[in-house]
C-alpha cells in the first residue's frame, strides 16, 4: 500500500525537528520494550542503517550502537552502511515481521543496497523481537492506551490487508 499524497504532503512542510521528535519517542519506546533488539547484530552493531520509504519525502537513519534514530529530508540523506527502500507500510510490516522479507525482496518491492550481511543481521534481530507497534505505541498513551491500541491495530490491519494478499 502506497500512502496517498494527501497524507504525505504535510510532511514536506512540517518542521523536521517536530517529525524527528515524534519518531524518537516511538523509537525509544520500541527499544525500551525490546531492550535486546540490537544484541544479535554482533559486529554489525556499529553500522548505520538507512530506511527510505518510497512514498514519503523523508528517510530514517538508525545507529544501533548509539540507540539513535534521525530523520532526514530527501535527497539529503546521510551515508549509511546498509539501506532499505520500499513503501512506508511495507517497511513497518517488515519491522513487525508481518510480511516475508524474502518474498518482497524477490518481487522487487523492496530494495536493499550496501552491506547485505548487516541488513540480514538486522532482519534476524527484528524477527526475534516480535515487535507490535500498536501495543508499543499504546503504552505511551496513558489512560488512552486501549483506544490507541485498538485504533492502531485497525489501521495496521487495513493497511496490510492489501500488502499481505499481494505477497501470499
Amino acid at each position: 500500500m502506497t500512502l496517498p499524497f494527501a497524507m504525505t504532503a504535510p510532511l514536506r512542510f512540517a518542521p523536521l525537528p517536530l517529525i524527528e521528535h515524534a519518531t524518537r519517542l516511538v523509537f525509544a519506546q520500541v527499544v525500551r520494550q525490546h531492550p535486546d533488539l540490537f544484541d544479535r547484530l554482533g559486529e554489525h552493531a556499529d553500522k548505520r542503517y538507512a530506511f527510505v520509504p518510497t512514498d514519503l519525502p523523508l528517510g530514517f537513519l538508525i545507529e544501533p550502537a548509539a540507540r539513535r534514530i534521525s530523520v532526514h529530508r530527501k535527497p539529503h540523506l546521510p551515508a549509511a552502511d546498509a539501506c532499505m527502500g520500499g513503501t512506508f507500510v511495507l517497511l513497518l510490516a517488515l519491522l513487525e515481521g508481518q510480511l516475508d522479507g524474502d518474498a518482497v525482496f524477490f518481487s522487487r518491492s523492496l530494495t536493499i543496497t550496501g552491506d547485505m550481511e548487516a541488513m540480514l543481521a538486522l532482519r534476524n534481530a527484528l524477527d526475534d523481537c516480535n515487535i507490535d507497534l500498536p501495543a508499543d505505541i499504546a503504552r505511551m498513551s496513558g489512560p488512552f492506551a486501549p483506544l490507541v491500541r485498538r485504533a492502531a491495530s485497525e489501521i495496521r490491519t487495513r493497511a496490510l490487508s492489501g500488502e499481505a494478499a499481494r505477497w501470499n
Side-chain angles (χ1 to χ4, degrees), residues 31-142:
V31 171
R32 192 170 21 262
Q33 293 301 313
H34 309 278
D36 57 345
L37 172 61
F38 298 123
D39 291 349
R40 281 197 60 191
L41 292 179
E43 66 186 71
H44 303 291
D46 290 329
K47 305 275 172 86
R48 295 162 49 105
Y49 298 84
F51 296 89
V52 185
T54 55
D55 52 350
L56 293 183
L58 308 168
F60 305 89
L61 183 72
I62 295 178
E63 300 171 81
R67 304 293 197 259
R68 179 175 43 231
I69 189 169
S70 54
V71 181
H72 306 272
R73 293 203 192 276
K74 291 178 185 173
H76 308 291
L77 301 171
D81 297 295
C83 180
M84 182 181 290
T87 65
F88 187 63
V89 170
L90 179 95
L91 295 175
L92 289 178
L94 289 170
L95 170 72
E96 289 189 314
Q98 298 284 333
L99 295 178
D100 179 359
D102 292 335
V104 293
F105 176 75
F106 289 113
S107 72
R108 299 180 189 250
S109 297
L110 179 70
T111 59
I112 299 175
T113 58
D115 189 336
M116 295 293 259
E117 242 184 271
M119 197 56 80
L120 184 58
L122 180 61
R123 175 189 167 193
N124 290 337
L126 289 170
D127 286 348
D128 287 349
C129 282
N130 298 318
I131 293 173
D132 181 353
L133 282 177
D136 291 345
I137 293 169
R139 288 184 187 96
M140 300 169 43
S141 307

Side-chain angles (χ1 to χ4, degrees), residues 23-34:
T23 301
R24 285 182 174 166
L25 285 173
V26 172
F27 181 77
Q29 180 65 15
V30 169
V31 171
R32 192 170 21 262
Q33 293 301 313
H34 309 278

